[in-house]
């Protein structure tokens, strides 16, 4: 038995099967060992390594801090809303770019339809918009911003990387590139869509492309959408690849127009902003929402908060397959301002009502008025045809709507009239341009001169760049004959310009070489004419000129213009007035004046002179700013979060310049408001004492040409410093400016035997500059928002002494100056900031305005004389009677600054209250405000509101302000 078993075993060992079994056993053992090693010994290591390959960190932004006024009134906050988002997370690995684009475009188009069908809007923050003529144009208002946009489009870090061709790309070129480029285009068929639809598609596709390397980060298509949009998106989510609904935090602003110039708005960070913020203590990414202007920008790091982070795991195409929350975001700090919300709003309304009152007082029912005929800028009126045209010039009336399917009766009527007139005008223009014997410019009618001037200077030079301003020789006789002598035709001028190579036809000619481009002058001129024929019919500015001259010729009736205001819902519809205008029972002149009086049509909408104003109110004892108003304002809600590019462009082109902060950026001469500084300089330098005086005879004869006092041909007689301020006597201050520049000669004697005196304007300027610097007028005021740099006059000490010369200051800088006058020499760095507070209510930082310097060189007697003069000015002026009736006294000084004889003067007022124990200072300016009595009335009403001197309804009435009797003496 044993032998048999032994033989059996030997046979097995000798067999091939045994070897195979042993081999398999060994291999299996090795496999088991390896599996054990990989899964047990090294299992955690490989799991972690795998996760690292698919794990991505997604940042969660912190909630932005709120902004409050000094009393805790909410100015900016965050609102929870729903947004439609899309992630480029489809599996397109086996598809061509064309096939991928087709799928994505179909999805995007369907989302657009869903969003818009429910009354919502898709994002429109792309750098290209449609202009009034329905053509593409860049949204950027300056060359640097435009080049930055182009660099982003072409994928460059800096604008220096742009080629010449890319740098000179037009808006149409960019759209074509993004729609049709074989490598980078989105495959959008432009032939099958309207431009507005194409722009929406490009907006969304470009936004998606910005996250092309981070597909797990969603792109917002539409924000703050309705419940209906949310429901429809969710119902169709199974076939809308990557489309989802997300909770979003939207920035909101209360009473936006009053505070927009201060607070600014938020928006998606630009490449430039990202580069600037790299060194910041906060971590920024290219998807962040940041402050774009105002205090939102200045205080961005405080408001931002700290980002949270979450870990997401994505598959091979970037699809999120798992989310693991890591750290929570921390909300930003709340910001409290020194601003008093109620005072800010009341000041804005007071300015608007005063502007409307000035307009109503100046509008007259005449046509074809020439401002040069007024002879005196204070007598300039506003003809009614300018008011009619303003409604078109500032696009209060939407002329594009005239051709829409829902256009009303009068809109259609006017469209037909304008189309016929425009065709006739273009035909006449082209006839002149084709005629070698065309009449000279000065022989043309005013209307035809306007068209020719526009074509040469605005259209061909500024817009098309065909006439190159850099190449033109301004000393050339033919150029002078066209521009100054007006003795040649535009035909002659353009042909001469071609012969002198003053042109750049790269946009309309495709010549291979410079020689070919300029080989045939007649051909080139023909190309220019063809270009004009093709583009003038759709040029909105040329069309506005047509409207102007149709109105002047009464071819476009005032009643039709007024009826269109109703048809386009510019004003609330009134059937009786609408029919009354047509039937002639209501006069269009009276109708418009009435609508301006009721503020149904505002000064900002008309953008006539005046249409803007500013005021700054400070606490004289701390330097805190209680109100900083720039009129007109705008709705920053429409620019925050996802910018409404069309609205932004409308604001940027608005003739009333709402983006321009008139309180901190508009500079004019201070006029007579500067006389307190001159008084301080003259008294401190010993030129005069408080009891000394100067005799005003109406004319100052110590310099030539002889400047006059405003009262001339009258005279003030003898005045001391206090009286000179009260009556704003120019002769007194001419004398001070002169004497500040006088030095005595030790060698030469005068006729009286005393040392001879010599006058040096430079010496006078040097001394005035010394005191201007003491009052901080050589620096910005300290406000934490954008502010223009001031300019101290550097010429003519005589004129500079009355606030003329080259003196130029903002309203905010004059506010700091008068604050120092009120508190007797404490010059603060003005501030808008009160404190920052964390979400637990703890004060993070308490802001206190810095004391820049204290003017210690000035005596009490000097301050007494200056302040008494300001008090007397107010106490003897009828404008302030209502204050005196309330037993309240303030001090102040008016001022005017001339722009030109054909424009109204700028009006200014500075003051403080109460006069005995000053608490607040006020600085007011109305550009082209005619008379400083009007700004004095604004200053008075601000004080009345602040100190509750009368019923609020009588101070802020909601209608055009009544004007007092305009006084002189500025």
């Amino acid at each position: 038995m044993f032998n048999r078993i032994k033989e059996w075993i030997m046979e097995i060992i000798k067999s091939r099967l045994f070897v195979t079994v042993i081999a398999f056993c060994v291999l299996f053992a090795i496999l088991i060992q390896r599996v054990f090693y990989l899964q047990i010994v090294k299992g955690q290591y490989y799991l972690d390594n795998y996760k690292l390959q698919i794990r991505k960190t997604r940042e969660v932004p912190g909630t932005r801090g709120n902004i409050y006024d000094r009393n805790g009134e909410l100015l900016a906050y965050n609102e929870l809303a729903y947004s439609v988002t899309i992630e480029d997370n489809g599996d397109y690995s086996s598809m061509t770019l064309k096939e991928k684009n087709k799928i994505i475009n179909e999805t995007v188009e369907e989302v657009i339809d869903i969003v818009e069908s429910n009354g919502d809007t898709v994002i429109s923050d792309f750098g290209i918009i449609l202009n009034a003529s329905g053509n593409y144009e860049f949204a950027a208002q300056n060359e640097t911003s435009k080049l930055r946009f182009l660099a982003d489009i072409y994928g460059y870090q800096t604008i220096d990387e742009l080629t010449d061709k890319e740098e000179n790309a037009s808006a149409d070129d960019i759209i074509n590139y993004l729609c049709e480029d074989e490598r980078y285009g989105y495959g959008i068929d432009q032939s099958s869509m309207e431009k507005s639809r194409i722009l929406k598609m490009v907006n969304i596709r470009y936004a998606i492309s910005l996250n092309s390397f981070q597909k797990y980060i969603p792109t917002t298509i539409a924000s703050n959408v309705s419940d209906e949009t949310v429901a429809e998106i969710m119902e169709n989510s199974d076939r809308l690849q990557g489309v989802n609904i997300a909770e979003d935090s939207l920035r909101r602003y209360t009473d936006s127009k009053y505070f927009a110039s201060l607070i600014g708005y938020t928006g998606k960070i630009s490449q430039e902003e990202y580069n600037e913020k790299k060194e910041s203590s906060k971590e920024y990414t290219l998807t962040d929402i940041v402050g774009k202007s105002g205090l939102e920008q200045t205080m961005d790091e405080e408001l931002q908060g700290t980002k949270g982070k979450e870990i997401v795991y994505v598959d091979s195409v970037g699809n999120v397959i798992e989310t693991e929350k890591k750290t929570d975001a921390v909300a930003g700090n709340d910001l409290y301002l020194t601003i008093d919300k109620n005072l800010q709003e009341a000041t804005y309304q007071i300015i608007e009502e005063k502007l409307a009152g000035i307009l109503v007082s100046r509008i007259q029912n005449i046509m074809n008025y020439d401002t040069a005929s007024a002879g005196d800028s204070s007598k300039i009126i506003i003809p009614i045809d300018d008011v009619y045209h303003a409604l078109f010039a500032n696009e209060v009336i939407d002329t594009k709507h005239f051709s829409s399917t829902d256009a009303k009766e009068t809109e259609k009527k006017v469209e037909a009239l304008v189309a016929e007139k425009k065709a006739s005008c273009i035909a006449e223009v082209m006839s002149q341009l084709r005629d070698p014997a065309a009449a000279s410019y000065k022989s043309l009618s005013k209307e035809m001169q306007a068209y020719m001037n526009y074509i040469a200077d605005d259209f061909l030079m500024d817009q098309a760049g065909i006439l190159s301003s850099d190449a033109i020789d301004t000393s050339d006789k033919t150029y002078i004959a066209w521009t100054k002598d007006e003795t040649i035709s535009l035909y002659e001028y353009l042909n001469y310009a071609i012969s002198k190579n003053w042109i750049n036809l790269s946009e309309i000619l495709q010549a291979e070489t410079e020689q070919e481009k300029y080989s045939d002058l007649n051909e080139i001129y023909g190309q220019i004419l063809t270009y004009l024929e093709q583009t003038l019919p759709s040029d909105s500015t040329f069309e506005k000129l047509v409207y102007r001259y149709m109105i002047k010729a009464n071819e476009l009736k005032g009643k039709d213009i007024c009826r269109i205001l109703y048809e386009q819902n510019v004003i609330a519809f009134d059937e009786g007035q609408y029919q009354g205008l047509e039937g002639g029972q209501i006069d269009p002149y009276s109708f418009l004046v009435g609508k301006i009086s009721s503020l149904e049509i505002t000064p900002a909408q008309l953008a006539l002179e005046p249409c803007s104003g500013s005021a700054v109110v400070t606490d004289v004892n701390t330097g805190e700013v209680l109100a900083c108003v720039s009129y007109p304002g705008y709705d920053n809600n429409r620019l925050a979060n996802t910018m409404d590019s069309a609205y932004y462009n409308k604001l940027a082109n608005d003739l009333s310049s709402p983006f321009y902060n008139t309180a901190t950026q508009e500079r004019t001469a201070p006029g007579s408001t500067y006389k307190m500084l001159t008084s301080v300089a003259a008294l401190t330098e010993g030129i005069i004492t408080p009891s000394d005086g100067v005799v005003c005879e109406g004319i100052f004869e110590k310099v030539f040409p002889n400047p006059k006092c405003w009262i001339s041909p009258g005279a003030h007689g003898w005045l001391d410093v206090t009286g000179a301020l009260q009556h704003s006597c120019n002769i007194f201050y001419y004398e001070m400016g002169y004497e500040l520049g006088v030095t005595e000669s030790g060698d030469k004697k005068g006729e009286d035997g005393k040392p001879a005196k010599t006058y040096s304007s430079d010496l006078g300027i040097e001394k005035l500059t010394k005191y201007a610097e003491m009052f901080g007028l050589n620096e910005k005021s300290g406000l934490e928002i954008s502010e223009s740099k001031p300019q101290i006059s550097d010429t003519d000490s005589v004129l500079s002494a009355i606030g003329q010369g080259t003196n130029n200051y903002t309203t905010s800088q004059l506010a700091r100056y008068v604050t120092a006058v009120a508190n007797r020499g404490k010059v603060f760095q003005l501030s808008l900031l009160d404190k920052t507070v964390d979400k637990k209510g703890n004060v993070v930082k308490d802001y206190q305005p810095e004391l820049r310097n204290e003017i210690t060189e000035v005596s009490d007697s000097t301050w007494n004389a200056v302040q008494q003069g300001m008090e007397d000015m107010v106490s003897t002026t009828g404008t302030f009677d209502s204050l005196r009736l309330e037993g309240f006294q303030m001090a102040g000084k008016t001022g005017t600054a001339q722009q030109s004889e054909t424009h109204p003067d700028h009006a200014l007022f500075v003051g403080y209250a109460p006069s005995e124990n000053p608490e607040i200072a006020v600085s007011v300016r109305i550009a082209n405000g005619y008379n400083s009595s009007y700004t004095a009335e604004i200053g008075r009403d601000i004080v009345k509101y602040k100190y509750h001197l009368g019923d609020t309804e009588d101070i802020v009435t909601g209608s055009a302000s009544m004007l007092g009797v305009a006084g002189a003496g500025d």
Side-chain angles (χ1 to χ4, degrees), residues 240-253:
L240 295 175
Q241 176 66 44
V243 179
N244 208 341
I245 297 294
E247 287 187 350
D248 204 356
S249 178
L250 300 180
R251 195 63 163 171
R252 294 297 187 209
Y253 303 100

PDB file of all heavy atoms in Angstrom, residues 240-253:
ATOM      1  N   LEU A 240     -31.125  69.775 -20.009  1.00  0.00           N
ATOM      2  CA  LEU A 240     -30.315  70.989 -20.071  1.00  0.00           C
ATOM      3  C   LEU A 240     -28.977  70.700 -19.411  1.00  0.00           C
ATOM      4  O   LEU A 240     -28.806  70.892 -18.201  1.00  0.00           O
ATOM      5  CB  LEU A 240     -31.032  72.155 -19.382  1.00  0.00           C
ATOM      6  CG  LEU A 240     -32.336  72.637 -20.034  1.00  0.00           C
ATOM      7  CD1 LEU A 240     -33.005  73.704 -19.182  1.00  0.00           C
ATOM      8  CD2 LEU A 240     -32.080  73.160 -21.443  1.00  0.00           C
ATOM      9  N   GLN A 241     -28.036  70.205 -20.215  1.00  0.00           N
ATOM     10  CA  GLN A 241     -26.745  69.750 -19.703  1.00  0.00           C
ATOM     11  C   GLN A 241     -26.026  70.828 -18.898  1.00  0.00           C
ATOM     12  O   GLN A 241     -25.733  71.910 -19.413  1.00  0.00           O
ATOM     13  CB  GLN A 241     -25.854  69.319 -20.865  1.00  0.00           C
ATOM     14  CG  GLN A 241     -24.442  68.903 -20.486  1.00  0.00           C
ATOM     15  CD  GLN A 241     -24.426  67.637 -19.659  1.00  0.00           C
ATOM     16  OE1 GLN A 241     -25.132  66.688 -19.966  1.00  0.00           O
ATOM     17  NE2 GLN A 241     -23.631  67.622 -18.608  1.00  0.00           N
ATOM     18  N   GLY A 242     -25.758  70.546 -17.638  1.00  0.00           N
ATOM     19  CA  GLY A 242     -24.977  71.444 -16.798  1.00  0.00           C
ATOM     20  C   GLY A 242     -25.736  72.618 -16.229  1.00  0.00           C
ATOM     21  O   GLY A 242     -25.177  73.392 -15.447  1.00  0.00           O
ATOM     22  N   VAL A 243     -27.012  72.787 -16.596  1.00  0.00           N
ATOM     23  CA  VAL A 243     -27.793  73.937 -16.137  1.00  0.00           C
ATOM     24  C   VAL A 243     -28.420  73.627 -14.788  1.00  0.00           C
ATOM     25  O   VAL A 243     -28.956  72.548 -14.567  1.00  0.00           O
ATOM     26  CB  VAL A 243     -28.882  74.323 -17.155  1.00  0.00           C
ATOM     27  CG1 VAL A 243     -29.705  75.511 -16.655  1.00  0.00           C
ATOM     28  CG2 VAL A 243     -28.249  74.649 -18.498  1.00  0.00           C
ATOM     29  N   ASN A 244     -28.356  74.596 -13.880  1.00  0.00           N
ATOM     30  CA  ASN A 244     -28.868  74.366 -12.536  1.00  0.00           C
ATOM     31  C   ASN A 244     -29.389  75.669 -11.952  1.00  0.00           C
ATOM     32  O   ASN A 244     -29.202  76.747 -12.508  1.00  0.00           O
ATOM     33  CB  ASN A 244     -27.757  73.792 -11.647  1.00  0.00           C
ATOM     34  CG  ASN A 244     -28.318  72.925 -10.531  1.00  0.00           C
ATOM     35  OD1 ASN A 244     -29.506  73.010 -10.192  1.00  0.00           O
ATOM     36  ND2 ASN A 244     -27.458  72.103  -9.955  1.00  0.00           N
ATOM     37  N   ILE A 245     -30.044  75.548 -10.810  1.00  0.00           N
ATOM     38  CA  ILE A 245     -30.494  76.704 -10.038  1.00  0.00           C
ATOM     39  C   ILE A 245     -29.659  76.777  -8.768  1.00  0.00           C
ATOM     40  O   ILE A 245     -29.492  75.776  -8.065  1.00  0.00           O
ATOM     41  CB  ILE A 245     -31.995  76.592  -9.676  1.00  0.00           C
ATOM     42  CG1 ILE A 245     -32.849  76.597 -10.941  1.00  0.00           C
ATOM     43  CG2 ILE A 245     -32.404  77.735  -8.743  1.00  0.00           C
ATOM     44  CD1 ILE A 245     -32.818  77.898 -11.726  1.00  0.00           C
ATOM     45  N   ALA A 246     -29.115  77.955  -8.480  1.00  0.00           N
ATOM     46  CA  ALA A 246     -28.265  78.110  -7.299  1.00  0.00           C
ATOM     47  C   ALA A 246     -28.748  79.279  -6.463  1.00  0.00           C
ATOM     48  O   ALA A 246     -29.297  80.257  -6.985  1.00  0.00           O
ATOM     49  CB  ALA A 246     -26.813  78.350  -7.721  1.00  0.00           C
ATOM     50  N   GLU A 247     -28.573  79.163  -5.163  1.00  0.00           N
ATOM     51  CA  GLU A 247     -28.832  80.284  -4.285  1.00  0.00           C
ATOM     52  C   GLU A 247     -27.695  81.285  -4.432  1.00  0.00           C
ATOM     53  O   GLU A 247     -26.532  80.905  -4.509  1.00  0.00           O
ATOM     54  CB  GLU A 247     -28.942  79.829  -2.828  1.00  0.00           C
ATOM     55  CG  GLU A 247     -30.217  79.082  -2.531  1.00  0.00           C
ATOM     56  CD  GLU A 247     -30.366  78.796  -1.047  1.00  0.00           C
ATOM     57  OE1 GLU A 247     -29.378  79.019  -0.308  1.00  0.00           O
ATOM     58  OE2 GLU A 247     -31.443  78.357  -0.635  1.00  0.00           O
ATOM     59  N   ASP A 248     -28.048  82.547  -4.470  1.00  0.00           N
ATOM     60  CA  ASP A 248     -27.040  83.572  -4.711  1.00  0.00           C
ATOM     61  C   ASP A 248     -27.261  84.725  -3.743  1.00  0.00           C
ATOM     62  O   ASP A 248     -28.373  84.950  -3.249  1.00  0.00           O
ATOM     63  CB  ASP A 248     -27.156  84.080  -6.160  1.00  0.00           C
ATOM     64  CG  ASP A 248     -25.871  84.674  -6.677  1.00  0.00           C
ATOM     65  OD1 ASP A 248     -24.911  84.775  -5.899  1.00  0.00           O
ATOM     66  OD2 ASP A 248     -25.839  85.048  -7.861  1.00  0.00           O
ATOM     67  N   SER A 249     -26.195  85.460  -3.476  1.00  0.00           N
ATOM     68  CA  SER A 249     -26.274  86.639  -2.621  1.00  0.00           C
ATOM     69  C   SER A 249     -26.082  87.865  -3.498  1.00  0.00           C
ATOM     70  O   SER A 249     -25.022  88.053  -4.088  1.00  0.00           O
ATOM     71  CB  SER A 249     -25.190  86.585  -1.535  1.00  0.00           C
ATOM     72  OG  SER A 249     -25.229  87.745  -0.733  1.00  0.00           O
ATOM     73  N   LEU A 250     -27.112  88.672  -3.600  1.00  0.00           N
ATOM     74  CA  LEU A 250     -27.074  89.853  -4.464  1.00  0.00           C
ATOM     75  C   LEU A 250     -26.915  91.121  -3.633  1.00  0.00           C
ATOM     76  O   LEU A 250     -27.526  91.271  -2.572  1.00  0.00           O
ATOM     77  CB  LEU A 250     -28.353  89.948  -5.298  1.00  0.00           C
ATOM     78  CG  LEU A 250     -28.651  88.773  -6.222  1.00  0.00           C
ATOM     79  CD1 LEU A 250     -29.944  89.022  -6.988  1.00  0.00           C
ATOM     80  CD2 LEU A 250     -27.504  88.532  -7.186  1.00  0.00           C
ATOM     81  N   ARG A 251     -26.102  92.036  -4.134  1.00  0.00           N
ATOM     82  CA  ARG A 251     -25.885  93.309  -3.453  1.00  0.00           C
ATOM     83  C   ARG A 251     -27.033  94.247  -3.791  1.00  0.00           C
ATOM     84  O   ARG A 251     -27.387  94.418  -4.971  1.00  0.00           O
ATOM     85  CB  ARG A 251     -24.561  93.914  -3.906  1.00  0.00           C
ATOM     86  CG  ARG A 251     -24.048  95.042  -3.020  1.00  0.00           C
ATOM     87  CD  ARG A 251     -23.756  94.584  -1.623  1.00  0.00           C
ATOM     88  NE  ARG A 251     -22.902  95.507  -0.873  1.00  0.00           N
ATOM     89  CZ  ARG A 251     -22.673  95.387   0.410  1.00  0.00           C
ATOM     90  NH1 ARG A 251     -23.225  94.392   1.098  1.00  0.00           N
ATOM     91  NH2 ARG A 251     -21.863  96.241   1.026  1.00  0.00           N
ATOM     92  N   ARG A 252     -27.608  94.847  -2.775  1.00  0.00           N
ATOM     93  CA  ARG A 252     -28.727  95.763  -2.964  1.00  0.00           C
ATOM     94  C   ARG A 252     -28.431  97.091  -2.276  1.00  0.00           C
ATOM     95  O   ARG A 252     -27.761  97.146  -1.248  1.00  0.00           O
ATOM     96  CB  ARG A 252     -30.008  95.170  -2.379  1.00  0.00           C
ATOM     97  CG  ARG A 252     -30.490  93.925  -3.101  1.00  0.00           C
ATOM     98  CD  ARG A 252     -30.851  94.235  -4.520  1.00  0.00           C
ATOM     99  NE  ARG A 252     -31.479  93.118  -5.207  1.00  0.00           N
ATOM    100  CZ  ARG A 252     -31.385  92.920  -6.496  1.00  0.00           C
ATOM    101  NH1 ARG A 252     -30.667  93.741  -7.248  1.00  0.00           N
ATOM    102  NH2 ARG A 252     -31.996  91.900  -7.073  1.00  0.00           N
ATOM    103  N   TYR A 253     -28.975  98.165  -2.865  1.00  0.00           N
ATOM    104  CA  TYR A 253     -28.770  99.510  -2.336  1.00  0.00           C
ATOM    105  C   TYR A 253     -30.115 100.188  -2.134  1.00  0.00           C
ATOM    106  O   TYR A 253     -30.954 100.191  -3.043  1.00  0.00           O
ATOM    107  CB  TYR A 253     -27.904 100.329  -3.289  1.00  0.00           C
ATOM    108  CG  TYR A 253     -26.568  99.690  -3.575  1.00  0.00           C
ATOM    109  CD1 TYR A 253     -26.358  98.975  -4.751  1.00  0.00           C
ATOM    110  CD2 TYR A 253     -25.528  99.758  -2.660  1.00  0.00           C
ATOM    111  CE1 TYR A 253     -25.135  98.368  -5.007  1.00  0.00           C
ATOM    112  CE2 TYR A 253     -24.301  99.162  -2.906  1.00  0.00           C
ATOM    113  CZ  TYR A 253     -24.118  98.465  -4.088  1.00  0.00           C
ATOM    114  OH  TYR A 253     -22.911  97.855  -4.326  1.00  0.00           O
TER     115      TYR A 253
END
